[in-house]
Amino acid sequence: MAGNRRGPATTVASGRRAAVLVAAGLAAVLVLAACDTGANDPAKAAQGSPTTAAPSTTAAPARLRSGSEGAQVKALQRRLHELGYQVQEADGQFGPETHHSVVAFQKVNGLGRDGVVGPITRKALERPRVPRPRSTKAGFHVEADLTLQVVYMVSDGKIVEVLDASSASGQTYTVDGDVRLAVTPRGSFVIQRKIDAWRRSKLGLLYRPAYFIGGYALHGAHSVPPFPASHGCIRITTTAMDRWFAKLPVGTPMQVYRS
Protein backbone atom coordinates (compact mmCIF):
# COMPACT_ATOMS: atom_id res chain seq x y z
CA MET A 1 0.00 0.00 0.00
CA ALA A 2 1.08 3.58 -0.54
CA GLY A 3 1.30 4.30 3.22
CA ASN A 4 3.98 1.57 3.77
CA ARG A 5 6.28 2.53 0.92
CA ARG A 6 9.66 4.13 2.06
CA GLY A 7 10.96 6.86 -0.14
CA PRO A 8 14.55 7.95 -0.92
CA ALA A 9 14.80 10.20 2.17
CA THR A 10 14.03 7.29 4.50
CA THR A 11 16.65 5.09 2.84
CA VAL A 12 19.36 7.74 3.14
CA ALA A 13 18.63 8.29 6.87
CA SER A 14 18.87 4.55 7.57
CA GLY A 15 22.23 4.42 5.82
CA ARG A 16 23.54 7.28 7.91
CA ARG A 17 22.43 5.61 11.15
CA ALA A 18 24.23 2.40 10.15
CA ALA A 19 27.43 4.33 9.40
CA VAL A 20 27.30 6.01 12.82
CA LEU A 21 26.91 2.65 14.57
CA VAL A 22 29.88 1.19 12.69
CA ALA A 23 32.06 4.18 13.55
CA ALA A 24 31.08 3.94 17.24
CA GLY A 25 31.98 0.26 17.26
CA LEU A 26 35.40 0.93 15.78
CA ALA A 27 36.04 3.68 18.33
CA ALA A 28 35.16 1.33 21.19
CA VAL A 29 37.58 -1.28 19.85
CA LEU A 30 40.37 1.33 19.65
CA VAL A 31 39.68 2.54 23.21
CA LEU A 32 39.81 -1.00 24.59
CA ALA A 33 43.07 -1.63 22.74
CA ALA A 34 44.57 1.59 24.11
CA CYS A 35 43.57 0.68 27.73
CA ASP A 36 45.01 -2.83 27.55
CA THR A 37 47.58 -3.18 30.41
CA GLY A 38 48.76 -6.59 29.37
CA ALA A 39 47.10 -8.26 32.36
CA ASN A 40 46.00 -11.10 30.10
CA ASP A 41 49.37 -11.26 28.33
CA PRO A 42 51.83 -13.50 30.27
CA ALA A 43 54.85 -11.69 28.82
CA LYS A 44 53.53 -8.24 29.72
CA ALA A 45 52.35 -9.40 33.14
CA ALA A 46 55.83 -10.69 33.92
CA GLN A 47 57.34 -7.29 33.08
CA GLY A 48 54.93 -5.44 35.40
CA SER A 49 54.03 -1.79 35.22
CA PRO A 50 57.08 0.49 34.74
CA THR A 51 55.44 3.34 36.65
CA THR A 52 54.27 1.45 39.78
CA ALA A 53 56.74 1.13 42.70
CA ALA A 54 56.41 -1.67 45.25
CA PRO A 55 55.25 -0.37 48.67
CA SER A 56 58.04 -0.11 51.28
CA THR A 57 57.88 -2.64 54.11
CA THR A 58 60.75 -1.12 56.15
CA ALA A 59 59.52 0.86 59.14
CA ALA A 60 61.27 4.15 59.91
CA PRO A 61 63.36 4.10 63.11
CA ALA A 62 61.28 5.12 66.08
CA ARG A 63 62.15 8.00 68.41
CA LEU A 64 63.27 6.18 71.54
CA ARG A 65 62.76 7.65 75.01
CA SER A 66 61.97 6.65 78.59
CA GLY A 67 59.20 4.06 78.48
CA SER A 68 60.01 2.78 74.99
CA GLU A 69 60.54 -0.94 74.60
CA GLY A 70 61.33 -3.55 72.01
CA ALA A 71 64.07 -4.64 69.62
CA GLN A 72 65.21 -1.11 68.76
CA VAL A 73 65.73 -0.33 72.45
CA LYS A 74 67.71 -3.55 72.87
CA ALA A 75 69.95 -2.61 69.93
CA LEU A 76 70.43 0.87 71.44
CA GLN A 77 71.42 -0.61 74.81
CA ARG A 78 73.95 -2.92 73.18
CA ARG A 79 75.48 0.00 71.28
CA LEU A 80 75.73 2.23 74.35
CA HIS A 81 77.31 -0.57 76.39
CA GLU A 82 79.74 -1.25 73.54
CA LEU A 83 80.75 2.43 73.64
CA GLY A 84 81.34 2.27 77.41
CA TYR A 85 78.24 3.96 78.79
CA GLN A 86 76.65 2.88 82.04
CA VAL A 87 73.72 0.74 80.87
CA GLN A 88 74.60 -2.86 81.73
CA GLU A 89 71.73 -4.98 80.40
CA ALA A 90 70.11 -5.10 76.96
CA ASP A 91 66.62 -5.97 78.16
CA GLY A 92 64.67 -3.92 75.63
CA GLN A 93 63.24 -1.64 78.34
CA PHE A 94 64.17 2.06 78.15
CA GLY A 95 64.56 2.61 81.89
CA PRO A 96 66.57 5.06 84.03
CA GLU A 97 70.03 3.65 83.31
CA THR A 98 69.38 3.70 79.57
CA HIS A 99 68.12 7.27 79.88
CA HIS A 100 71.24 8.39 81.77
CA SER A 101 73.45 6.55 79.27
CA VAL A 102 71.82 8.44 76.41
CA VAL A 103 72.19 11.76 78.26
CA ALA A 104 75.88 11.06 78.98
CA PHE A 105 76.40 10.15 75.31
CA GLN A 106 74.73 13.39 74.25
CA LYS A 107 76.94 15.37 76.65
CA VAL A 108 80.14 13.80 75.31
CA ASN A 109 79.03 14.37 71.70
CA GLY A 110 77.87 17.97 72.18
CA LEU A 111 74.19 17.25 71.53
CA GLY A 112 71.00 18.42 73.20
CA ARG A 113 70.67 16.68 76.57
CA ASP A 114 67.08 15.46 76.35
CA GLY A 115 67.64 11.71 76.69
CA VAL A 116 65.69 11.07 73.48
CA VAL A 117 67.18 9.09 70.59
CA GLY A 118 65.98 10.92 67.49
CA PRO A 119 67.64 11.32 64.07
CA ILE A 120 70.56 13.47 65.33
CA THR A 121 71.49 11.22 68.27
CA ARG A 122 70.99 8.12 66.14
CA LYS A 123 73.41 9.46 63.53
CA ALA A 124 75.96 10.31 66.24
CA LEU A 125 75.75 6.75 67.54
CA GLU A 126 76.98 5.56 64.16
CA ARG A 127 80.11 7.77 64.28
CA PRO A 128 80.53 8.81 67.91
CA ARG A 129 83.14 10.96 69.54
CA VAL A 130 85.37 8.74 71.67
CA PRO A 131 86.37 10.50 74.92
CA ARG A 132 89.92 10.31 76.23
CA PRO A 133 91.01 10.47 79.87
CA ARG A 134 93.23 13.30 81.03
CA SER A 135 95.61 10.91 82.80
CA THR A 136 96.99 7.77 81.18
CA LYS A 137 98.86 6.49 84.22
CA ALA A 138 98.76 2.82 85.09
CA GLY A 139 96.19 1.65 87.61
CA PHE A 140 92.67 2.77 88.35
CA HIS A 141 91.45 6.31 88.93
CA VAL A 142 88.34 8.51 88.61
CA GLU A 143 87.97 11.62 86.47
CA ALA A 144 85.12 14.14 86.69
CA ASP A 145 84.74 16.49 83.74
CA LEU A 146 82.73 19.45 85.06
CA THR A 147 82.34 20.95 81.59
CA LEU A 148 80.70 17.88 80.10
CA GLN A 149 79.07 16.83 83.39
CA VAL A 150 80.27 13.23 83.19
CA VAL A 151 82.44 10.94 85.29
CA TYR A 152 85.01 8.61 83.73
CA MET A 153 86.11 5.41 85.40
CA VAL A 154 89.64 4.90 84.06
CA SER A 155 91.82 1.79 84.17
CA ASP A 156 95.39 1.78 82.84
CA GLY A 157 94.80 4.86 80.74
CA LYS A 158 91.53 3.67 79.19
CA ILE A 159 88.00 4.78 80.02
CA VAL A 160 86.08 1.68 81.06
CA GLU A 161 82.79 3.41 81.82
CA VAL A 162 81.18 6.82 81.28
CA LEU A 163 78.65 7.93 83.91
CA ASP A 164 76.07 10.67 83.73
CA ALA A 165 76.81 13.21 86.49
CA SER A 166 75.72 16.53 87.96
CA SER A 167 78.04 18.83 89.90
CA ALA A 168 77.71 22.26 91.57
CA SER A 169 75.12 24.64 90.17
CA GLY A 170 77.16 27.82 90.60
CA GLN A 171 74.21 29.36 92.41
CA THR A 172 74.12 30.76 95.95
CA TYR A 173 72.43 28.92 98.80
CA THR A 174 71.99 29.45 102.54
CA VAL A 175 73.03 27.06 105.31
CA ASP A 176 73.29 27.89 109.05
CA GLY A 177 72.50 31.49 108.15
CA ASP A 178 75.49 31.76 105.83
CA VAL A 179 75.12 32.51 102.13
CA ARG A 180 77.46 30.30 100.13
CA LEU A 181 78.26 29.70 96.48
CA ALA A 182 77.76 26.20 95.09
CA VAL A 183 81.09 25.17 93.58
CA THR A 184 82.85 21.86 93.03
CA PRO A 185 86.56 22.04 93.85
CA ARG A 186 88.94 21.23 91.01
CA GLY A 187 92.29 19.51 91.28
CA SER A 188 93.93 16.15 91.96
CA PHE A 189 92.55 14.35 95.02
CA VAL A 190 92.18 10.89 96.50
CA ILE A 191 89.17 9.18 98.09
CA GLN A 192 89.62 9.96 101.80
CA ARG A 193 86.66 8.25 103.46
CA LYS A 194 83.44 6.45 102.58
CA ILE A 195 80.06 5.77 104.13
CA ASP A 196 78.31 2.60 103.06
CA ALA A 197 74.77 3.94 103.63
CA TRP A 198 72.51 6.89 103.00
CA ARG A 199 73.85 9.97 104.79
CA ARG A 200 71.56 12.86 105.63
CA SER A 201 73.46 16.14 105.63
CA LYS A 202 72.22 19.70 106.10
CA LEU A 203 72.10 19.98 102.33
CA GLY A 204 70.28 16.73 101.55
CA LEU A 205 70.71 12.98 101.14
CA LEU A 206 73.92 11.38 99.88
CA TYR A 207 73.92 7.73 98.85
CA ARG A 208 77.10 5.79 99.71
CA PRO A 209 79.30 8.91 99.53
CA ALA A 210 83.00 8.66 98.72
CA TYR A 211 84.60 11.90 99.99
CA PHE A 212 87.52 13.26 97.98
CA ILE A 213 88.12 16.50 99.93
CA GLY A 214 86.42 17.85 103.06
CA GLY A 215 82.65 17.50 102.73
CA TYR A 216 82.74 17.05 98.95
CA ALA A 217 81.90 13.58 97.72
CA LEU A 218 81.14 11.49 94.72
CA HIS A 219 77.80 9.95 95.68
CA GLY A 220 74.61 8.38 94.42
CA ALA A 221 71.39 10.37 94.22
CA HIS A 222 67.80 9.84 93.17
CA SER A 223 67.99 12.97 91.02
CA VAL A 224 70.78 13.43 88.47
CA PRO A 225 69.59 16.18 86.12
CA PRO A 226 71.37 16.81 82.81
CA PHE A 227 72.85 20.08 84.11
CA PRO A 228 74.86 21.28 87.16
CA ALA A 229 72.47 21.20 90.13
CA SER A 230 74.27 20.19 93.34
CA HIS A 231 75.65 22.24 96.24
CA GLY A 232 79.17 21.04 95.39
CA CYS A 233 79.24 17.25 95.43
CA ILE A 234 79.25 15.16 92.26
CA ARG A 235 76.08 13.12 91.80
CA ILE A 236 75.75 9.87 89.88
CA THR A 237 72.83 7.44 89.86
CA THR A 238 72.30 5.12 92.82
CA THR A 239 72.60 2.12 90.49
CA ALA A 240 75.98 3.30 89.25
CA MET A 241 77.15 3.96 92.82
CA ASP A 242 76.11 0.45 93.83
CA ARG A 243 78.21 -0.96 91.00
CA TRP A 244 81.31 1.15 91.75
CA PHE A 245 81.30 1.68 95.51
CA ALA A 246 83.43 -1.39 96.31
CA LYS A 247 85.84 -0.46 93.50
CA LEU A 248 86.61 2.93 95.06
CA PRO A 249 88.79 2.08 98.05
CA VAL A 250 90.24 4.83 100.21
CA GLY A 251 93.28 6.17 98.40
CA THR A 252 91.76 5.94 94.90
CA PRO A 253 93.05 8.91 92.85
CA MET A 254 90.42 11.34 91.56
CA GLN A 255 90.84 14.25 89.18
CA VAL A 256 88.24 16.99 88.88
CA TYR A 257 88.63 19.45 86.01
CA ARG A 258 87.06 21.46 83.23
CA SER A 259 87.74 20.34 79.69
Side-chain angles (χ1 to χ4, degrees):
M1 296 189 309
N4 293 328
R5 191 177 295 172
R6 291 186 290 182
T10 303
T11 303
V12 171
S14 298
R16 287 178 178 175
R17 284 198 296 271
V20 170
L21 290 174
V22 171
L26 288 173
V29 170
L30 291 173
V31 169
L32 289 174
C35 293
D36 183 14
T37 60
N40 296 321
D41 185 332
K44 291 182 180 180
Q47 293 175 358
S49 173
T51 59
T52 303
S56 175
T57 57
T58 303
R63 291 177 69 87
L64 304 177
R65 52 169 53 85
S66 293
S68 298
E69 57 184 25
Q72 291 188 40
V73 175
K74 189 175 289 188
L76 168 66
Q77 291 167 326
R78 290 197 185 105
R79 179 58 171 160
L80 289 168
H81 183 70
E82 176 187 33
L83 293 174
Y85 292 86
Q86 67 192 71
V87 64
Q88 297 296 298
E89 184 179 3
D91 60 2
Q93 304 293 321
F94 200 125
E97 289 301 286
T98 303
H99 170 82
H100 285 289
S101 295
V102 171
V103 171
F105 175 83
Q106 292 172 330
K107 289 176 175 180
V108 169
N109 285 270
L111 308 177
R113 306 172 180 186
D114 60 1
V116 177
V117 181
I120 296 175
T121 298
R122 196 181 300 277
K123 184 176 181 180
L125 283 163
E126 296 174 359
R127 300 187 66 180
R129 175 182 178 271
V130 179
R132 297 281 185 266
R134 177 158 292 191
S135 174
T136 57
K137 292 182 179 179
F140 178 80
H141 73 277
V142 180
E143 294 189 12
D145 187 328
L146 304 184
T147 301
L148 297 182
Q149 293 287 285
V150 293
V151 166
Y152 301 136
M153 298 300 187
V154 185
S155 180
D156 295 328
K158 296 181 179 179
I159 296 175
V160 295
E161 194 165 308
V162 184
L163 305 178
D164 190 18
S166 178
S167 63
S169 67
Q171 304 297 313
T172 58
Y173 64 94
T174 303
V175 59
D176 293 334
D178 294 330
V179 177
R180 303 178 184 179
L181 182 65
V183 295
T184 299
R186 286 179 282 169
S188 296
F189 311 102
V190 296
I191 301 299
Q192 299 176 343
R193 60 191 178 95
K194 299 166 61 179
I195 299 175
D196 191 6
W198 281 99
R199 177 177 183 267
R200 182 177 295 278
S201 73
K202 294 179 180 180
L203 299 176
L205 287 171
L206 290 71
Y207 181 66
R208 305 184 87 175
Y211 293 90
F212 56 90
I213 183 172
Y216 297 93
L218 174 69
H219 67 85
H222 288 313
S223 174
V224 183
F227 50 83
S230 80
H231 295 97
C233 289
I234 301 172
R235 304 179 191 175
I236 59 177
T237 67
T238 56
T239 304
M241 198 64 200
D242 280 338
R243 188 166 60 256
W244 284 102
F245 184 81
K247 302 174 185 178
L248 300 172
V250 171
T252 299
M254 182 168 175
Q255 294 191 14
V256 183
Y257 56 82
R258 292 194 175 277
S259 58

